[in-house]
DNA sequence: GTAGTTGCAAACTTTTTGCTACCCA
DNA sequence: TGGGTAGCAAAAAGTTTGCAACTAC
């Protein structure tokens, strides 16, 4: 069995499973609600603790895009996001990484760069359509 | 006098002045501490309210880079940042904007893109030196 | 068996808000 | 003068933590 952290508990397994099977970028609260459908007694504290463990293990990513709360991404590979300013939706972009930006930034006063994050903000097609009707 | 929001109060003026005269990217609490040196009776709620007004007016930027709290940037022009993973410092990069990334992202599934944000994470020169000694 | 993890609830941190008094235009 | 804003303090919102009980290995 896949080993993440010191013990693979059913709680940790369920949380990871939820994150790996959604394309949305859910909040801790949403993950908690989903997890309770499988484990009705799971607590929000456990969800937060396991999200921290999974993040530290590099299995998931924590995103803070201008909100007071975090969102989590089950895809730990670096990739870019589109954030809709109208509905708040976060969408993965199928766009190649630009590692060359890191070399450029190092030359422009950054230190030793390990990774970068890139997000695009705008209006998603769905919200754009709504406005027109 | 410069008009931002409906009324230019001395509190708003002091907060904007603090942000325009620092190269750091301070937290609301730090701004509050600085403002109290000029206006001892200013309250933290007023600091937050004015930061919101200034942000909505496009005079400053609010940054949430992986922390539980926001930082504020007195430069409202889009620019890129370097975040030190060791000391938490945020540094402005003197690096040209890549507007072409927005066109690329629109072609890769983003909606109508209005702006983008790019941050680089790594170890700043100061922290790198410390580790070597 | 035992150290790591859970559930629970209380605590904590950051930000927001309701209200009355105040003050800028 | 009148409505936007301030100060104050309480509340909200999201996250973390202490502890006894439980459980994965």
């Amino acid at each position: 069995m896949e080993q993440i952290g010191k013990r693979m508990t059913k709680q940790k397994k369920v949380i990871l499973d939820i994150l790996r099977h959604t394309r949305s970028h859910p909040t801790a609260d949403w993950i908690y609600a989903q997890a309770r459908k499988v484990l009705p007694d799971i607590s929000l504290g456990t969800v937060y603790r396991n999200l921290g463990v999974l993040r530290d293990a590099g299995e998931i990513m924590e995103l803070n895009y201008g909100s007071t709360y975090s969102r989590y991404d089950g895809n730990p590979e670096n990739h870019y996001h589109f954030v809709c300013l109208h509905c708040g939706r976060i969408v993965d972009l199928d766009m190649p990484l630009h590692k060359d930006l890191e070399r450029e930034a190092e030359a422009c006063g950054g230190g030793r760069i390990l990774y970068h994050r890139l997000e695009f903000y705008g209006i998603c097609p769905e919200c754009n359509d709504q406005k027109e009707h």
Side-chain angles (χ1 to χ4, degrees), chain A:
Chain A
M1 150 133 7
E2 190 176 17
Q3 188 61 30
I4 299 165
K6 306 213 167 156
R7 283 183 197 176
M8 178 50 70
T9 63
K10 59 189 174 190
Q11 289 86 348
K12 190 186 292 179
K13 201 186 305 182
V14 165
I15 291 168
L16 187 54
D17 196 60
I18 288 169
L19 272 167
R20 285 192 177 157
H21 290 87
T22 180
R23 297 185 60 81
S24 72
H25 301 73
T27 61
D29 220 60
W30 187 89
I31 296 165
Y32 172 54
Q34 299 303 308
R36 282 222 286 188
K37 294 178 182 173
V38 186
L39 303 171
D41 287 337
I42 196 174
S43 76
L44 187 54
T46 295
V47 171
Y48 274 107
R49 266 187 293 234
N50 276 309
L51 288 171
V53 168
L54 293 169
R55 185 233 299 125
D56 293 345
E59 293 291 323
I60 66 174
M61 274 200 294
E62 185 175 353
L63 313 173
N64 312 57
Y65 292 166
S67 302
T68 57
Y69 48 86
S70 288
R71 291 176 169 275
Y72 295 86
D73 190 328
N75 176 6
E77 296 298 314
N78 190 9
H79 59 282
Y80 302 149
H81 291 110
F82 172 82
V83 182
C84 179
L85 295 168
H86 191 249
C87 67
R89 185 189 331 227
I90 298 177
V91 180
D92 291 331
L93 291 178
D94 187 18
M95 175 172 159
L97 279 199
H98 286 258
K99 289 293 277 186
D100 49 307
L101 290 170
E102 297 184 5
R103 285 195 300 278
E104 188 182 346
E106 282 186 348
C108 291
R112 190 157 48 88
I113 290 171
L114 298 172
Y115 62 94
H116 67 282
R117 291 208 173 174
L118 176 55
E119 306 112 43
F120 298 91
Y121 295 82
I123 309 295
C124 72
E126 287 79 1
C127 288
N128 211 35
D129 286 351
Q130 277 179 23
K131 283 188 175 172
E132 285 169 3
H133 300 322

